[in-house]
Amino acid sequence: MARRALPALLALIAFVADLSGRHGLALGFVLASIPAAFALALECYGDALEARCGGLRPLSAAGGLALLVLSAALRSPAVVGGVPHLAVSAVVLALLLYAGALLGALLVPRPKSVLLEEEPERLAA
C-alpha cells in the first residue's frame, strides 16, 4: 500500500520545497517521483486488466505521471531564469489527480468475491 502513496508523497515534498524556494531540492524529488509514478501506473493498469478497478484509476495514474514528467522537463537546469509557474502547477495537478484516485478508491465499494455455490441436488447425485 505504501507503494501507491510514494509518488504522491514525493510530489508533495517537491511542492513544499518549491514553496520554500528550494527549487533544486524540488527538482530532485520530482525526478525521484517519476519511477514511482510509472510503477503505480503499471500496477493500476494491471488491476484494470484483472477487473479489480475501473478505467479511471489507471488514467489518473498515467495523467499524474505525465504531469510529473512535464514538471521535470520544465525545471531542467538548461532553463534560465528560475522555475516556471507551469512546473509548480503541474506538480499541484498531479497531486490533485492522486488525491482523486485515493478518494475514488475509498468511496467506491469493493466488489464482493463471487463464490460459486453448488446446488444441493448436485451434491446428492
Side-chain angles (χ1 to χ4, degrees):
M1 196 62 170
R3 187 176 40 196
R4 290 185 180 181
L6 185 61
L9 179 66
L10 291 172
L12 180 65
I13 294 171
F15 178 63
V16 169
D18 269 333
L19 291 178
S20 66
R22 309 264 328 242
H23 301 296
L25 183 65
L27 174 63
F29 278 106
V30 168
L31 289 174
S33 68
I34 291 173
F38 182 72
L40 175 66
L42 283 179
E43 182 180 348
C44 291
Y45 181 66
D47 287 347
L49 288 179
E50 293 176 0
R52 285 193 257 166
C53 69
L56 287 178
R57 197 169 84 183
L59 287 177
S60 66
L65 171 63
L67 287 168
L68 290 172
V69 169
L70 174 69
S71 178
L74 290 173
R75 293 169 187 271
S76 172
V79 176
V80 179
V83 175
H85 294 289
L86 184 59
V88 179
S89 297
V91 171
V92 171
L93 288 174
L95 284 171
L96 289 175
L97 281 175
Y98 289 136
L102 174 68
L103 284 176
L106 292 177
L107 296 179
V108 174
R110 292 181 179 253
K112 295 181 181 177
S113 61
V114 178
L115 296 176
L116 298 176
E117 297 180 15
E118 295 185 30
E119 297 174 7
E121 52 269 359
R122 284 190 182 174
L123 293 176

